[in-house]
Amino acid sequence: MFKDTFDKLCWLFLIVVLISTVVLIYTNIGTGSEKRAAGPSKTLERELSYRARVDLINQLYLPVENLRKEGNNQTALLKLDELIRKYPTEAHGHILQGDILQRMGAFDEAISSYVEGVKLNGDYVDTKSPLSRRAEIQKLVDGGLKDVGPRVAANPNNRSLVIARQKLNYLKSRLAGGCE
């Protein structure tokens, strides 16, 4: 059994592996309750992260909101353009841009901005989200479909009207709970 040094080393290695396995089994039994406690903390971390993100968005876009409230829409659009270039994956800039363009009467551009914003972040059509702009988007879709529908029927070859209707239908589907 223990004839030479190699056999002795093999048996020693086997004993070390068995002891390590037993130690790992006993230490993992004690950590079972800790793993269950980690679930709520991850949920809490996600919630805190989301709230911090919402606060950061509100802070970043506060100057634009102030300019918009003062009626300086052109200046607000310039500031928004700068912020959109700086944060290209942030949807809030597109949503604000759509709101300002809609107030200025540029409905086709407003529709495009809202679509970009909703594609980047669906929270803007979620009623439970603090970022929700559902009522504004619903109003735009309802008015836009009433306006664009007859215009498309009168000019079916007008590509820009067809695209506007497609974008309105996309927003309508997202408002109805559809996903991409």
Side-chain angles (χ1 to χ4, degrees):
M1 191 156 149
F2 295 108
K3 296 182 180 177
D4 60 358
T5 309
F6 180 74
D7 287 339
K8 291 177 185 178
L9 286 175
C10 287
W11 279 103
L12 180 65
F13 180 72
L14 182 64
I15 292 171
V16 168
V17 168
L18 288 173
I19 291 172
S20 300
T21 305
V22 170
V23 168
L24 284 174
I25 289 173
Y26 282 117
T27 57
N28 281 339
I29 290 173
T31 61
S33 62
E34 294 170 7
K35 287 183 180 178
R36 278 184 244 124
S41 67
K42 286 187 178 184
T43 304
L44 180 64
E45 286 176 20
R46 272 190 239 121
E47 175 101 13
L48 288 173
S49 173
Y50 184 74
R51 288 187 185 202
R53 184 173 175 267
V54 169
D55 289 342
L56 178 64
I57 287 171
N58 290 334
Q59 188 72 24
L60 281 174
Y61 292 96
L62 183 64
V64 175
E65 289 282 350
N66 291 336
L67 288 169
R68 185 181 60 85
K69 288 177 184 174
E70 293 170 1
N72 295 332
N73 290 331
Q74 296 294 335
T75 310
L77 284 174
L78 289 172
K79 181 70 175 165
L80 263 177
D81 188 46
E82 177 185 320
L83 287 170
I84 288 172
R85 273 190 262 119
K86 190 172 182 179
Y87 304 104
T89 60
E90 180 53 53
H92 197 73
H94 295 284
I95 298 295
L96 283 177
Q97 187 178 41
D99 182 40
I100 293 169
L101 290 170
Q102 182 181 4
R103 291 172 192 258
M104 293 175 67
F107 293 106
D108 292 344
E109 292 83 5
I111 293 167
S112 295
S113 291
Y114 276 117
V115 166
E116 279 298 314
V118 170
K119 280 184 178 180
L120 287 171
N121 188 348
D123 288 351
Y124 290 96
V125 293
D126 184 12
T127 55
K128 297 175 185 172
S129 172
L131 298 173
S132 180
R133 298 285 179 111
R134 185 179 183 85
E136 297 167 19
I137 296 172
Q138 184 70 54
K139 185 178 174 184
L140 175 75
V141 168
D142 292 342
L145 287 174
K146 287 179 186 175
D147 180 49
V148 171
R151 288 172 42 202
V152 170
N155 298 319
N157 295 329
N158 188 336
R159 188 75 182 136
S160 64
L161 289 175
V162 171
I163 291 172
R165 185 177 61 185
Q166 288 173 344
K167 289 180 179 182
L168 285 168
N169 286 332
Y170 169 78
L171 289 174
K172 184 179 177 182
S173 73
R174 291 302 303 265
L175 289 167
C179 58
E180 294 205 30

